[in-house]
Amino acid sequence: MGYAIETNKISKKYDSFTAVDSIDLKVPRNSIYGVLGPNGAGKTTLISMLCTILRPTGGSAMVNGYDIEKQAKQVRASIGIVFQSRALDDILTGREHLEMHAALYGVPKDIRQERLDEVLDLIALGKKADEYVKTYSGGMKRRLEIGRGLIHHPKVLFLDEPTLGLDPQTRESIWDYIYDLNQNHDITVLLTTHYMEEADKLCDEVAIINQGHIITSESPKNLKRDLKADTLTITVDSPEEFVEKVKTLGFIKEAFLVDGEVKLMVEMGENLIPAVVGFASEQGFPIRSIELEHPNLEDVFIKFTGSKISSEGK
Amino acid sequence: MAEIEGIYTIWLRETKRFFRYRSRIVTSVVTPLLWLIIFGTGLGSAVRFGGNIPGGYQAFIYPGIIGQTILFTSIFSGLSVIMDRQYGFLKEILVAPISRPSIVLGKALGISTASVIQASILLILSFIVGVSMDPLTFVLCIIIALIMSVGLGGMGLVIAAFTDSMEGFNLIMSFIVLPMFLLSGALFPITGLPTWLQAAVYINPLTYGVDALRAATLGESALPLEISIIVIAFFAVLMILISALIFSKKEQSLM
Ligand SMILES: Nc1ncnc2c1ncn2[C@@H]1O[C@H](COP(=O)(O)OP(=O)(O)O)[C@@H](O)[C@H]1O
Ligand SMILES: [Mg+2]
């Protein structure tokens, strides 16, 4: 069976407002799958349905081969979840959180200690493991939550905006952590995010969600390739004249000036740099610098929705 | 088996929380003592008390104040689900592979543990108000306290399921908890009241708990002990069933 998660027109309405609208999602086993979209797009609602906290108002879904409505208990036993908002008890220690979780998920008593040590090692809380969670930093809390979600060896791990509100350094370490986990364990990761970079770096496949709809789903590489627009940024003397000249080249889709720099929109930019440089020196415009930029997922999002992802969804 | 471990795990967390909030344990003993010593002595010397209990008014309200402690602790522990929801921990519990009735039962047992510990402290301090305590009476009172706290804790859980934020707290205090306490016969005898007041007193489940405690500690009561125990046991079962049903059926707003 190829898919860890498969949804069939899954929908959620709050009164008359449709937060998730007929979404079909197919998440291959052992992949890292990203659901990327702005705030309010319906990511948390979608995840909440998949982990059986909310009931869909339409459609259905299978997680690990279990129906999320008819076999909710089997679904819950086979998944791990890290919620967007914190789900910790201030007055318990990190270790107690893990012990409690292992007990609730029926990890056999004889291997419980082993699992606890394994996870504590992984999330590197050190001595803090035996202090109350209220003394933890944001990054430690997040690591504890991720570690907790792993202690029963789930087949699917849901991460709802795992690095929201963390500093860049902690964010990178959590990315490494998720990546290693996926490489070394038999685990499928479904993560939601509104950080382009996160989806880009981490995910094998990305579904872009906006206002409850999936707009497109592909590998980040293909999504960006479909845009067919690399940007060459060039600085030359007398850029105004150069823009007019360079427009005559057949492979240039667009050429314009931004803050005294020449921007050229091209396809497969890396192959064209020599041609552009050659043309410029022929025409008597020695190039001071040239820079190639591939499109990012932000550009993909703009292409599909006409708005930036960082702005609110509605 | 997994369900039993789930119940135990939820109970364990409740109990750990209870012991870690030291200030709550202290106030939960000091407050009833203030009632007994100040209110009991003050009102006891102001009015001529009709009952013929050795120890007078102070002894009369002693089981009432134990009932009050059980009421407050149980309802507020039940309402702690609102905090669990607000601080997010409820999600961790609700998404675990154990049934909702087991969650409710674990919570209720945790609530009873807290209430019973507080009740035992007050029972041990019975000499302060001149009530004599023997082991048998003590055990009987503990059993009554246990049954009462399961029912009242279950009631707290039911209220919590319908309350989205702690803002509702004051309303619950003014419209449910305080009237229940005042209408329970904790502070005055329930025989010989005007009919309208009597009706309110008799539909209040706390009345039967207080009356049972009074029968056990003072040998004085409005109703036979067995009747009171049957009523509070019935209330406990009913509240657990209702809260288990609500937690299974109602979609909790968790985000
Ligand atoms: N309990 C609720 N009642 C009504 N509307 C809700 C509720 N929960 C979420 N919504 C709405 O559903 C939409 C999707 O929310 P959410 O799934 O949290 O988005 P995301 O996680 O992508 O930011 C939002 O517009 C939000 O306001
Ligand atoms: Mg969200």
Side-chain angles (χ1 to χ4, degrees):
Chain A
M1 200 193 52
Y3 296 110
I5 302 167
E6 208 173 340
T7 71
N8 176 22
K9 298 209 178 348
I10 196 165
S11 307
K12 179 75 185 178
K13 273 191 182 180
Y14 294 113
D15 300 323
S16 63
F17 175 74
T18 308
V20 168
D21 196 357
S22 294
I23 283 184
D24 290 321
L25 213 60
K26 286 186 169 49
V27 179
R29 266 196 193 285
N30 295 335
S31 63
I32 301 185
Y33 195 97
V35 175
L36 173 70
N39 284 331
K43 303 182 295 295
T44 299
T45 306
L46 175 65
I47 275 204
S48 304
M49 289 190 288
L50 295 178
C51 66
T52 76
I53 281 196
L54 289 181
R55 288 184 207 103
T57 49
S60 61
M62 305 286 277
V63 173
N64 279 316
Y66 301 116
D67 187 287
I68 57 163
E69 285 189 277
K70 296 185 196 95
Q71 296 165 295
K73 203 168 161 186
Q74 285 96 322
V75 170
R76 288 191 216 150
S78 67
I79 61 174
I81 309 146
V82 176
F83 299 98
Q84 177 177 342
S85 50
R86 298 285 171 275
L88 299 171
D89 187 342
D90 271 356
I91 202 154
L92 296 181
T93 68
R95 188 187 300 277
E96 285 172 332
H97 275 91
L98 299 179
E99 282 167 352
M100 187 175 160
H101 190 89
L104 286 177
Y105 283 75
V107 175
K109 281 218 175 67
D110 47 329
I111 58 168
R112 215 172 270 179
Q113 192 53 47
E114 196 181 309
R115 289 280 179 87
L116 231 67
D117 293 339
E118 177 189 309
V119 166
L120 281 171
D121 204 39
L122 202 66
I123 60 181
L125 289 179
K127 287 204 178 64
K128 277 278 191 186
D130 292 304
E131 285 178 35
Y132 290 163
V133 161
K134 65 179 169 198
T135 68
Y136 288 20
S137 69
M140 292 169 87
K141 286 183 183 169
R142 213 47 171 166
R143 293 207 304 273
L144 173 61
E145 290 185 314
I146 297 179
R148 178 176 68 181
L150 293 171
I151 210 160
H152 55 288
H153 285 185
K155 287 272 166 275
V156 176
L157 181 63
F158 291 97
L159 302 171
D160 196 3
E161 312 234 12
T163 64
L164 187 72
L166 298 179
D167 59 273
Q169 204 185 339
T170 313
R171 181 172 297 165
E172 298 237 350
S173 76
I174 286 186
W175 288 346
D176 290 344
Y177 185 58
I178 296 170
Y179 182 78
D180 288 343
L181 197 71
N182 176 254
Q183 292 294 304
N184 303 324
H185 293 80
D186 173 26
I187 194 167
T188 311
V189 179
L190 181 124
L191 69 84
T192 74
T193 182
H194 68 264
Y195 295 121
M196 293 295 165
E197 206 191 344
E198 188 159 279
D200 204 353
K201 277 212 169 145
L202 215 49
C203 298
D204 302 308
E205 203 172 323
V206 174
I208 295 182
I209 183 172
N210 194 30
Q211 298 180 358
H213 295 278
I214 296 281
I215 301 163
T216 178
S217 60
E218 268 276 20
S219 70
K221 210 171 103 215
N222 289 351
L223 280 175
K224 288 185 291 185
R225 199 193 52 210
D226 288 350
L227 277 181
K228 296 183 181 148
D230 291 344
T231 311
L232 286 173
T233 305
I234 299 169
T235 45
V236 288
D237 299 328
S238 48
E240 293 86 356
E241 289 169 45
F242 182 67
V243 169
E244 294 311 313
K245 281 262 160 39
V246 85
K247 274 183 181 165
T248 59
L249 284 174
F251 57 78
I252 306 283
K253 298 209 284 197
E254 248 182 282
F256 49 91
L257 268 178
V258 178
D259 300 332
E261 292 178 329
V262 180
K263 300 259 183 200
L264 305 178
M265 308 302 285
V266 296
E267 256 176 63
M268 311 286 269
E270 51 271 31
N271 303 334
L272 299 174
I273 291 177
V276 172
V277 174
F279 174 80
S281 52
E282 251 169 54
Q283 302 286 322
F285 295 94
I287 286 183
R288 293 171 178 272
S289 72
I290 181 161
E291 211 179 303
L292 170 68
E293 246 180 292
H294 294 298
N296 58 32
L297 285 175
E298 178 94 46
D299 302 319
V300 178
F301 190 79
I302 292 169
K303 175 184 158 190
F304 280 106
T305 66
S307 65
K308 292 188 92 160
I309 202 160
S310 40
S311 58
E312 294 293 308
K314 282 192 277 187
Chain B
M1 187 55 214
E3 294 292 329
I4 290 173
E5 182 156 30
I7 295 170
Y8 167 75
T9 307
I10 309 253
W11 170 84
L12 186 65
R13 174 198 174 231
E14 289 297 313
T15 308
K16 277 181 180 166
R17 281 176 68 85
F18 173 72
F19 281 111
R20 284 175 194 179
Y21 285 114
R22 297 262 161 70
S23 61
R24 253 184 55 196
I25 307 180
V26 175
T27 49
S28 70
V29 176
V30 171
T31 312
L33 287 181
L34 291 178
W35 274 92
L36 284 174
I37 296 167
I38 301 176
F39 188 81
T41 313
L43 199 70
S45 50
V47 299
R48 196 151 7 127
F49 182 60
N52 53 351
I53 298 162
Y57 184 67
Q58 222 179 15
F60 175 80
I61 64 168
Y62 172 65
I65 296 301
I66 296 177
Q68 177 204 43
T69 305
I70 297 169
L71 170 75
F72 280 35
T73 300
S74 303
I75 298 251
F76 292 142
S77 307
L79 291 179
S80 72
V81 168
I82 303 172
M83 307 275 270
D84 282 349
R85 191 189 295 130
Q86 225 160 27
Y87 292 107
F89 194 74
L90 191 62
K91 287 178 284 191
E92 158 72 2
I93 294 175
L94 290 185
V95 85
I98 60 168
S99 70
R100 298 287 154 87
S102 296
I103 295 173
V104 165
L105 210 56
K107 271 268 180 203
L109 292 176
I111 294 167
S112 312
T113 306
S115 300
V116 165
I117 290 170
Q118 289 172 355
S120 5
I121 297 172
L122 292 177
L123 287 169
I124 291 165
L125 296 176
S126 64
F127 62 88
I128 293 179
V129 290
V131 173
S132 65
M133 185 63 53
D134 58 75
L136 205 68
T137 310
F138 185 84
V139 171
L140 182 58
C141 289
I142 292 297
I143 293 171
I144 297 168
L146 187 78
I147 303 172
M148 285 170 74
S149 61
V150 169
L152 295 166
M155 191 176 130
L157 291 174
V158 172
I159 299 169
F162 292 101
T163 312
D164 275 337
S165 73
M166 286 314 267
E167 272 159 51
F169 195 87
N170 288 329
L171 290 176
I172 295 164
M173 186 71 200
S174 312
F175 287 97
I176 298 175
V177 181
L178 217 51
M180 274 181 84
F181 167 56
L182 292 174
L183 291 170
S184 68
L187 301 178
F188 49 79
I190 54 173
T191 44
L193 294 173
T195 342
W196 65 270
L197 194 55
Q198 200 146 34
V201 165
Y202 278 107
I203 56 166
N204 179 2
L206 188 64
T207 302
Y208 301 88
V210 168
D211 202 55
L213 286 171
R214 194 165 279 143
T217 51
L218 306 177
E220 281 266 321
S221 63
L223 297 162
L225 179 60
E226 310 82 61
I227 301 286
S228 294
I229 289 185
I230 289 172
V231 173
I232 57 175
F234 176 76
F235 178 68
V237 172
L238 189 70
M239 283 300 134
I240 291 300
L241 287 179
I242 293 177
S243 49
L245 189 74
I246 289 170
F247 274 86
S248 307
K249 293 276 175 268
K250 187 173 180 289
E251 210 158 70
Q252 299 285 318
S253 68
L254 291 170
M255 297 304 157

